[in-house]
Amino acid sequence: MSDWVIADRLVLLDRVGWFHLDRPVLVRPGQSYRVDYGAGELCIDDGDGRVTRLPGWVCR
């Protein structure tokens, strides 16, 4: 698992390091995100206790 990164602006992600998402996703300012490599998901925390999990894969 990686550390949480807080978005300081609107970010369009299609990969995070070696982790590639199944589809691009927008992360809004103030939201935080990290990769859960064990589950193969990108986790996005809205800050209100809700975490969205999006599938992807590791490409090395």
Side-chain angles (χ1 to χ4, degrees), residues 8-59:
D8 59 352
R9 60 189 166 147
L10 187 64
V11 180
L12 178 63
L13 297 175
D14 63 347
R15 69 181 177 100
V16 178
W18 293 99
F19 186 79
H20 293 256
L21 291 157
D22 287 345
R23 60 181 176 86
V25 63
L26 282 173
V27 179
R28 301 192 187 311
Q31 290 180 321
S32 56
Y33 62 92
R34 70 178 170 94
V35 175
D36 183 346
Y37 290 103
E41 298 173 326
L42 176 73
C43 304
I44 301 174
D45 186 349
D46 290 335
D48 61 358
R50 191 174 34 167
V51 176
T52 304
R53 301 170 86 65
L54 302 164
W57 70 96
V58 177
C59 181

